[in-house]
Structures are given as C-alpha cells and as structure tokens.
Amino acid sequence: MHRRHPEIDPQLLSETDEQRQLRTVLRDLYAEASGVEEVRKHLATPRGYDEALWGRLAGEIGVHGLAIPEEYGGSGFTFAELAVALEESGRALYCAPLLPTVVLAANALLFSGDRTACERYLPRIADGTLTATVAGFGPGGPGGLDESGEPGVTAEQGANGWVLRGQADFVLDGAGADLLLVRAGTPAGPRIFACEPVPDTCRRTPRRVLDETRRQALVEFGGAPATAVGTAEGVEGTVSATLDTGRAALAAEQVGGSGHALDATVAFVAQRHQFGRPIGSFQAVKHRLADVLVALEAARSGSAYATACAAIASPQLPVAACAAAVVCSETFRLATAEYVQLHGGIGFTWEHPAHLYVRRARGAEVLFGTADQRRTRLAGLVGLAGRPAA
C-alpha cells in the first residue's frame, strides 16, 4: 500500500526560469506555425501533421530529446521539461505523434534497460527522424489486450529470429510509425519486441476515430521480423511504468487544452454583448467560468504532482498518474463543454475550433482506461480496494 502523504520537495512543483522560457518559446512557435487552420490543413495529409514543424521542434528547440539522456543523443533534462512542451502542444491542439513517440516509445526503451535498443533508436527519436509507438501494452493502454486478457500478438522463433503474428487495434499512430514496440506472448511468457514494419508482413489499417488529431490504427502482423527488447523478467515493470508516464503526459496535455478553452471563452464573453452589456458581466456566466477555473487549478495541481513524480522516478508515480488522469480528464471535459456552450450558436459550428477540442477531450478521456477503471485502480493503489490492475 502507498503512503497517504508522500514526501515531495515543494520546489519540484514550481516552474523554473528555464521551463518558463521554454513555454514562451513554444507558445510563440505554435501561434506562428500551428494555428487551427494549419491543424485542419495538415489533418488531410497522409501523415496528418506538419512534418516541417516536427523537424523544427526536434532540431531548433530539442523537444524530442528533452527527457532522453545525453548518452543517447538527448538533452539530459527530465520529464518536467517535457511536460511543459506537452502542455503547450495540448493548448495548441498540436496533432503530431509526440505522445506515442517521445513519451511512450522512448520511455519504454529507457525502462527496458536494453542499451543496444536504446543506442539504436533513441538518437533518431531525439533528432526527429524516427517516429515510434507501442502496442499491446495492457487493458488500459493503446493497442491493448484481447478479451481473454492475453496479448493479441504472439511471437515465435523463426529461421532468422523472432517473428510476430496476430493483431493490435487502436494503436496510436499505428499506420505511420517507423517503429513499433510490441508486447507479445511467447511460450515462456510475454516479451517486448521492436518491429520496423514493412507492408509484406505488417498490414496497417487506419481507424476512423472521434479525435482526428490523434490517429489510431489496426496493426496486423503476419510473420513480421522483430527483435526482443529487454528481459522477460522486466516486461511488466516496463509496461506499467510506461503507461503511468503516459498518463502523466496526457494530464499535462489536458491542462493545456483546458487552459486554452477557458482563455478563449473568457475573451469571447468579454466582447460579446447582449442587452447593452458584455455577457461576461452576467452572474450566471461568471459562476460557470469560475467553476472551470477552480477545476483547472485542481488539474494543474494534479498534473504538477504527477510530473514531479515522473521526473524523479518516484514510487508514488502510479498513484499520482492515476489521480491526475481522473481530475484532468474531468476538467478538460468541463472546460470544452463550456467552450461550446458559452460561445452560443457559433460554438456548435464546424468552422469554429471548439469542436476540435471537444473531440480531443472525449478521446483522451478513455485513452489509458475509462474513468471507472482509473478510480478502481487508484482505490487499489491506496489500499481501499482489491489488488490494482496494470
């Protein structure tokens, strides 16, 4: 059972000068190069995002390598700096695969402890030349387990090494990623495998999903060559730590999206007039926006704590990540609902950006498990229920 009152240095919960500078640079860059119209335009392209901006983020600012050690081509900072970048990407509704590549795949490699795999793939993730994702990482993860609770992908020894068979559904960026890290079943138990997919042995079918800014796909393996990553004993620990880091990352994104929704709504009600006065001056509107602000402050606190735990590899990360996932998902849903409602008739139109944020909020809400699953796991982690799920 986890301690009810864990010790965390309060300084870890505050933003440093470097992090504030990074936030300013990223906000300016997104305002310049990734507005709503740019997002809409790039959603229609084969990869679904601005590949030039992806390169700028990696090369000019070094976002992709922020939390990757210097020995693997990164900057050697911590998850705290990466969380700043994720919050700003959520605020701008940036649609490139930062979450699957820079958070899930990169951390899966690091948590595996496999130096050979890290040396092979992490430098290319850090410089923006390799996109990656994970599949089969649990019932609450993207591309999860089948109905029996077993991995939907199996691995067997072929003449030239391991090959993968089976399928994983709703894999983040599954149709376009250059590298797939797959949790697959073997006769000796599950292992993690690295697969660089080719059409002959790996069929990838894009899925139609509510949030078009976060693409997902069905990945079917038909004898795809793969390489084992890490040890058999460390698989479940790697998967669990990766998913908890993903939950902390998603919480940071949701805080950014909620902040945009609140700011845009406040600006609108200040300039929209009814009965000769701004609608923001009416008490009912003030109360609704105050509720969003209170929820957003709670979400910021939850996200900051989860970020601090991820940054120092605290054993409290599972609790912090679960709690942040619950509160930040609820806040994002509330903020985007008011984004639409308080904009009146225009908030319901296809041309207005509010619906894009609503879709992102609803998609993110179930990305690493439903709200009920998160609460059940959280209760188990703090000793209020049975054994927690992965």
Side-chain angles (χ1 to χ4, degrees):
M1 186 175 75
H2 290 251
R3 295 174 58 187
R4 299 290 180 87
H5 304 288
E7 295 179 1
I8 287 288
D9 185 346
Q11 290 187 343
L12 295 175
L13 305 178
S14 301
E15 204 167 70
T16 66
D17 289 339
E18 283 185 335
Q19 291 165 3
R20 278 190 288 272
Q21 292 170 11
L22 175 62
R23 183 182 301 281
T24 299
V25 169
L26 286 170
R27 189 167 299 187
D28 290 345
L29 177 60
Y30 283 133
E32 169 204 334
S34 188
V36 173
E37 292 309 312
E38 284 77 13
V39 170
R40 292 181 191 271
K41 179 179 70 175
H42 290 291
L43 286 178
T45 63
R47 281 299 275 126
Y49 63 90
D50 185 350
E51 295 183 68
L53 179 56
W54 176 264
R56 289 183 66 187
L57 286 171
E60 294 179 16
I61 305 176
V63 167
H64 301 60
L66 281 172
I68 293 177
E70 292 180 290
E71 63 181 306
Y72 299 128
S75 302
F77 288 102
T78 70
F79 183 82
E81 285 71 32
L82 180 57
V84 172
L86 291 165
E87 184 177 334
E88 290 306 310
S89 73
R91 184 182 182 89
L93 207 71
Y94 183 51
C95 51
L98 275 177
L99 181 64
T101 298
V102 179
V103 178
L104 298 177
N107 278 285
L109 289 167
L110 288 170
F111 289 135
S112 75
D114 190 323
R115 291 188 60 85
T116 300
C118 288
E119 290 170 353
R120 181 175 182 179
Y121 298 117
L122 286 178
R124 287 191 285 158
I125 289 177
D127 67 17
T129 58
L130 180 77
T131 57
T133 190
V134 300
F137 268 43
L145 309 183
D146 63 20
E147 294 180 357
S148 68
E150 296 298 323
V153 182
T154 58
E156 59 188 47
Q157 286 279 11
N160 298 314
W162 291 99
V163 294
L164 302 178
R165 301 188 185 279
Q167 66 180 37
D169 207 352
F170 296 103
V171 177
L172 295 177
D173 196 36
D178 304 313
L179 171 69
L180 305 174
L181 295 175
V182 186
R183 179 179 180 271
T186 73
R191 294 287 303 272
I192 295 175
F193 294 89
C195 173
E196 298 182 49
V198 293
D200 291 344
T201 56
C202 185
R203 180 181 178 185
R204 302 192 279 179
T205 307
R207 288 298 199 189
R208 185 177 181 183
V209 291
L210 180 64
D211 178 15
E212 295 179 343
T213 66
R214 180 162 276 147
R215 294 188 174 186
Q216 301 179 45
L218 168 66
V219 181
E220 299 171 281
F221 300 95
T227 304
V229 174
T231 63
E233 296 77 14
V235 169
E236 299 311 320
T238 295
V239 169
S240 180
T242 299
L243 292 179
D244 282 327
T245 304
R247 292 181 180 105
L250 187 62
E253 271 194 11
Q254 291 169 321
V255 166
S258 300
H260 163 83
L262 178 59
D263 290 348
T265 307
V266 168
F268 177 79
V269 300
Q271 58 89 23
R272 178 76 167 92
H273 283 66
Q274 286 288 344
F275 308 108
R277 57 192 284 197
I279 63 173
S281 66
F282 294 109
Q283 191 174 49
V285 174
K286 290 180 179 179
H287 285 176
R288 290 171 69 168
L289 290 174
D291 288 342
V292 176
L293 177 60
V294 170
L296 179 55
E297 290 304 309
R300 289 190 192 281
S301 297
S303 175
Y305 178 52
T307 293
C309 289
I312 63 172
S314 168
Q316 294 296 324
L317 177 59
V319 172
C322 250
V326 171
V327 68
C328 293
S329 291
E330 291 180 348
T331 297
F332 199 13
R333 182 170 184 171
L334 171 65
T336 53
E338 296 293 17
Y339 191 11
V340 172
Q341 293 288 335
L342 293 178
H343 272 76
I346 193 175
F348 290 85
T349 64
W350 187 257
E351 291 76 17
H352 197 274
H355 75 93
L356 294 173
Y357 284 86
V358 171
R359 289 165 179 262
R360 172 65 70 87
R362 294 301 179 90
E365 192 173 6
V366 296
L367 188 57
F368 292 104
T370 65
D372 287 344
Q373 289 172 333
R374 291 165 177 166
R375 288 188 174 91
T376 299
R377 181 171 185 253
L378 184 58
L381 287 168
V382 299
L384 298 179
R387 191 171 183 176

